[in-house]
């Protein structure tokens, strides 16, 4: 009988699920706070169920000689050393969708609170005042709500807002026109949303692309009198700039549940009369906490008893037999998706995947998930092979898979084609006999490119002097090239280069290449190798 330790507070119902499924469980909800005691006993368990209090470090995992799975009741896994767990062969699971409704409802609650100044009115009335004329609010009926991020939580907010008879504009690079129509919203670019929205609410993860998406510059583009809600992630808004616009009256109000630095004990937004703040309560409801606890108990039981894997952050959903042969191909599929995702700044309509030869006989569902996860990581680094297909479907991205018998010199290869309203972009790759993935074709141009953690892609007209400019510019900036692959269609036509670098390129190096005027495209790329 497998044995699980619950080291944080989970509901009794979740603990009972383990017992009912035939898993022995020790419920010690305060043990996660005692690092030394946890390290002493962790070697007795096959599974560890946690929330945020337990810190699963590399040092702790050294003692986890039996551990097979860690289950996090919730989304965030910052308290788990996933690379260390992977090296130990420990699966890390989370429950990414258990608190979506709760978070969406909190955003709606914040919108009402800032529209009607409810917290201030409550404090005033508790103090025995009756300041009816002081708290003049606005209706949400018939107002325009701008949604930044129309994924799982954003789509729930959209549904609630439409029920309130609001007009909804949505900005999301992955939202297709078809999915927008299905949701009942108008898909717009960010500038149009900023200019027209009476309320703006954010529902995107924090990435390099979304950090300060409401920057000082973008906040200045908003409609005068706008009210802004953020129950997603801190760091999406320039808080100092927002405070200035609140004081000037350009922004009529703001409601924030998250902050750039948490716990937030100070902020330029604190103390402003037109600001509602809460201490990251987005997932804090009885129902949400119960849901994620039940889900993690079911998922861990399934894995320990049957080997089924759900919502794993560090393992594909494949059988043990498949893993031996599919491992390199799963890496390749992820790299192909990552390339496409990082090269694309437009809404993706479809992803077409061609499997040729030997790879066509493998577990295509897992390979497709790896491709999609690679694509989606460009905008959401926390995505995994389980959640990525769901996120893509929510945004209306169509997936098409084609298989064919061996057609060329390779025993097998994978070709990924991304389709947007403006273009198609493709890349193909294979796995060599040494088990290493390689890119073999980009934009229809044959190449032989080794894949590294830090890479650079350039495109130019095939004219003399480009290679020299590329090497000289990078050399002057101290960028060392580990490997270098060139390709072209025909003499004088388009040519590409893909470079494997020793380290990530600094932004000034990218700008220096662009400033030469010799390149049609310069794109630094990052891969998990």
């Amino acid at each position: 009988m497998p044995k699980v330790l619950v080291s944080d507070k989970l509901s009794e119902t979740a603990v009972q699920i383990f017992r009912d499924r035939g898993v022995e469980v020790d419920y010690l909800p305060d043990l996660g706070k005692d690092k030394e005691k946890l390290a002493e006993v962790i070697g007795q368990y096959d599974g560890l169920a946690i929330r945020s209090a337990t810190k699963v470090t590399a040092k702790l995992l050294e003692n986890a000689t039996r551990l097979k799975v860690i289950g996090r009741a919730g989304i965030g896994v910052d308290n788990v050393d996933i690379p260390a767990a992977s090296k130990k062969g420990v699966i890390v699971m989370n429950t990414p969708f258990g608190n979506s409704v709760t978070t969406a409802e909190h955003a709606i609650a914040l919108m009402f609170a800032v529209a009607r100044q409810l917290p201030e009115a409550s404090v005033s009335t508790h103090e025995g005042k009756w300041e009816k004329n002081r708290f003049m609010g606005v209706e949400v009926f018939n107002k325009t709500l701008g949604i930044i991020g129309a994924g799982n939580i954003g789509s729930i907010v959209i549904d609630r807002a439409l029920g309130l008879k609001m007009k909804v504009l949505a900005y999301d690079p992955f939202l297709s026109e078809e999915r927008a129509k299905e949701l009942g919203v108008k898909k717009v670019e960010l500038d149009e949303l900023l200019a027209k929205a009476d309320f703006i609410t954010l529902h995107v993860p924090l990435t390099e692309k979304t950090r300060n998406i409401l920057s000082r510059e973008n906040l200045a583009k908003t409609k005068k009198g706008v009210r802004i809600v953020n129950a997603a992630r801190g760091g999406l808004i320039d808080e100092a700039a927002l405070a200035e616009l609140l004081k000037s009256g350009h922004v009529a109000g703001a409601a924030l549940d998250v902050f750039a630095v948490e716990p937030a004990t100070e902020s330029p937004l604190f103390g402003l009369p037109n600001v509602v703040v809460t201490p990251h309560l987005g997932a804090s409801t009885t129902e949400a906490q119960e849901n994620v606890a039940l889900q993690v108990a079911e998922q861990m039981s399934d894995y320990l008893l049957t080997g089924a894997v759900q919502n794993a952050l560090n393992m594909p959903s494949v059988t043990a037999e498949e893993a031996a042969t599919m491992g390199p191909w799963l890496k390749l599929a992820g790299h192909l998706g990552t390339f496409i995702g990082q090269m694309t700044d437009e809404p993706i309509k479809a992803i077409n995947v061609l499997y040729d030869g030997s790879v066509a006989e493998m577990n295509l569902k897992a390979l497709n998930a790896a491709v999609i996860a690679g694509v989606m990581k460009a905008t959401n680094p926390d995505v995994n092979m389980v959640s990525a297909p769901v996120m893509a479907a929510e945004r209306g991205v169509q997936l098409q898979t084609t298989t064919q018998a061996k057609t060329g010199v390779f025993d097998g290869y994978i070709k990924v084609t991304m389709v947007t309203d403006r273009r198609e972009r493709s890349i193909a790759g294979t796995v060599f006999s040494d088990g290493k993935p390689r890119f073999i074709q980009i934009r229809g141009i044959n190449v032989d490119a080794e894949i590294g953690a830090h890479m650079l892609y350039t495109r130019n007209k095939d004219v003399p002097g480009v290679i020299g400019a590329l090497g000289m510019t990078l050399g002057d900036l101290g960028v060392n090239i580990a490997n270098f692959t060139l390709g072209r269609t025909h003499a004088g036509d388009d040519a590409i280069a893909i470079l494997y670098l020793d380290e990530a390129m600094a932004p000034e190096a990218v700008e220096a290449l662009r400033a030469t005027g010799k390149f049609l495209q310069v794109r630094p790329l990052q891969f998990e190798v």
Side-chain angles (χ1 to χ4, degrees):
M1 179 184 293
K3 189 175 182 181
V4 167
L5 169 65
V6 179
S7 60
D8 287 344
K9 292 181 180 178
L10 258 66
S11 72
E12 286 290 345
T13 308
V15 175
Q16 190 60 41
I17 284 176
F18 285 116
R19 297 185 179 123
D20 292 343
R21 294 287 302 274
V23 176
E24 184 180 353
V25 58
D26 286 342
Y27 181 53
L28 303 171
D30 296 320
L31 185 60
K33 300 174 184 177
D34 189 338
K35 297 178 182 179
E36 293 183 2
K37 182 62 177 177
L38 180 60
E40 286 179 18
V41 303
I42 191 63
Q44 305 172 24
Y45 297 95
D46 302 287
L48 176 64
I50 63 173
R51 286 195 188 276
S52 58
T54 300
K55 309 301 179 186
V56 183
T57 62
K59 185 176 181 180
L60 175 67
L61 287 164
E62 289 176 2
N63 295 339
T65 53
R66 281 177 53 179
L67 197 64
K68 300 179 180 68
V69 59
I70 299 166
R72 166 68 161 97
I75 298 177
V77 286
D78 295 344
N79 55 323
V80 179
D81 189 331
I82 296 178
S86 300
K87 289 180 181 178
K88 289 280 291 185
V90 178
I91 296 172
V92 180
M93 300 175 172
N94 68 349
T95 54
F97 307 117
N99 54 21
S100 299
V101 169
T102 288
T103 304
E105 286 186 356
H106 193 62
I108 294 292
L110 288 173
M111 181 176 69
F112 273 117
V114 75
R116 300 301 294 269
Q117 303 177 71
L118 298 180
E120 282 187 277
S122 176
V123 170
S124 171
T125 307
H126 272 295
E127 291 174 348
K129 302 174 184 178
W130 194 258
E131 300 178 297
K132 187 173 181 179
N133 294 330
R134 176 185 167 192
F135 302 109
M136 185 62 64
V138 296
E139 294 181 350
V140 300
F141 169 72
N142 211 32
K143 296 295 192 304
T144 297
L145 175 64
I147 298 270
I148 299 177
N152 185 42
I153 295 172
S155 62
I156 297 172
V157 173
I158 288 169
D159 177 70
R160 286 6 179 213
L162 292 173
L164 295 170
K165 307 302 181 185
M166 299 184 80
K167 303 169 186 175
V168 183
L169 304 177
Y171 167 70
D172 187 324
F174 286 95
L175 180 67
S176 67
E177 291 290 353
E178 292 76 13
R179 177 58 175 164
K181 289 178 182 177
E182 183 181 329
L183 290 172
V185 301
K186 180 181 178 183
K187 180 177 177 295
V188 297
E189 294 301 319
L190 182 58
D191 281 356
E192 182 177 350
L193 182 148
L194 297 174
K196 294 182 177 180
D198 300 299
F199 292 83
I200 295 174
T201 180
L202 298 104
H203 300 286
V204 294
L206 181 64
T207 69
E208 287 309 308
K209 288 188 176 181
T210 62
R211 187 180 300 279
N212 270 358
I213 191 169
L214 291 188
S215 61
R216 181 178 298 274
E217 178 184 0
N218 282 339
L219 286 168
K221 296 176 183 177
T222 57
K223 181 178 181 180
K224 182 174 174 55
V226 69
R227 290 169 171 83
I228 296 172
V229 175
N230 184 14
R233 285 289 182 268
L236 300 176
I237 303 175
D238 184 330
E239 293 173 13
L242 177 59
E244 293 174 15
L245 289 173
L246 284 159
K247 293 173 184 177
S248 73
H250 179 84
V251 176
L256 285 83
D257 184 48
V258 289
F259 299 85
V261 177
E262 294 184 0
T265 56
E266 58 182 23
S267 168
L269 297 166
F270 288 177
L272 297 181
N274 46 351
V275 174
V276 178
V277 289
T278 52
H280 207 142
L281 300 179
S284 297
T285 63
T286 301
E287 293 85 353
Q289 296 305 306
E290 183 79 359
N291 287 341
V292 295
L294 300 182
Q295 285 180 26
V296 82
E298 290 284 4
Q299 290 174 193
M300 292 179 68
S301 297
D302 282 344
Y303 175 68
L304 291 170
L305 297 172
T306 71
V309 178
Q310 300 178 61
N311 295 328
L313 297 171
N314 61 344
M315 179 181 174
S317 298
V318 296
T319 65
E321 293 78 14
E322 290 172 326
T325 55
M326 283 187 62
W329 289 97
L330 283 165
K331 281 188 176 181
L332 172 66
H335 292 333
L336 295 171
T338 298
F339 182 94
I340 289 286
Q342 292 182 85
M343 293 292 293
T344 305
D345 297 318
E346 308 158 16
I348 297 174
K349 293 179 62 177
I351 300 171
N352 302 328
V353 189
L354 169 66
Y355 297 100
D356 178 280
S358 60
V359 69
E361 303 300 321
M362 296 182 183
N363 183 338
L364 300 188
K365 184 176 181 180
L367 290 167
N368 282 341
V371 171
I372 299 169
V375 173
M376 304 299 285
K377 278 181 181 293
T379 56
N380 187 344
D382 296 327
V383 76
N384 60 59
M385 288 175 57
V386 175
S387 59
V390 176
M391 292 176 61
E394 288 172 349
R395 288 158 172 77
V397 177
Q398 302 297 312
L399 176 68
Q400 179 176 318
T401 301
T402 305
T403 60
Q404 62 186 26
K406 178 182 174 182
T407 59
V409 297
F410 300 106
D411 287 337
Y413 70 84
I414 303 173
K415 182 178 181 180
V416 178
T417 302
M418 177 276 304
V419 181
T420 71
D421 286 332
R422 296 175 55 189
R423 60 173 61 88
E424 291 189 5
R425 179 175 279 121
S426 66
I427 182 170
T430 190
V431 175
F432 281 12
S433 58
D434 61 2
K436 292 183 178 180
R438 305 286 277 245
F439 293 148
I440 58 173
Q441 190 182 85
I442 300 172
R443 300 182 77 248
I445 300 173
N446 292 332
V447 297
D448 178 8
E450 185 179 354
I451 303 167
H454 312 294
M455 302 191 75
L456 173 68
Y457 170 84
T458 65
R459 182 168 61 90
N460 58 275
K461 285 299 179 183
D462 183 33
V463 295
V466 176
I467 297 174
L470 183 60
M472 184 175 294
T473 303
L474 294 182
D476 289 344
L477 291 167
V479 179
N480 197 49
I481 301 171
N483 208 325
F484 192 113
T485 301
L486 300 172
R488 68 179 187 182
T489 49
H490 304 287
D493 207 342
D494 272 8
I496 63 172
I498 185 160
L499 288 69
Y500 175 178
L501 308 175
D502 283 346
E503 57 187 19
M505 282 188 68
E508 53 266 28
V510 177
E511 291 307 316
L513 282 176
R514 290 172 177 156
T516 65
K518 293 184 177 294
F519 299 96
L520 301 172
Q521 196 171 11
V522 177
R523 183 79 68 151
L525 304 169
Q526 304 290 322
F527 296 90
E528 295 179 3
V529 295

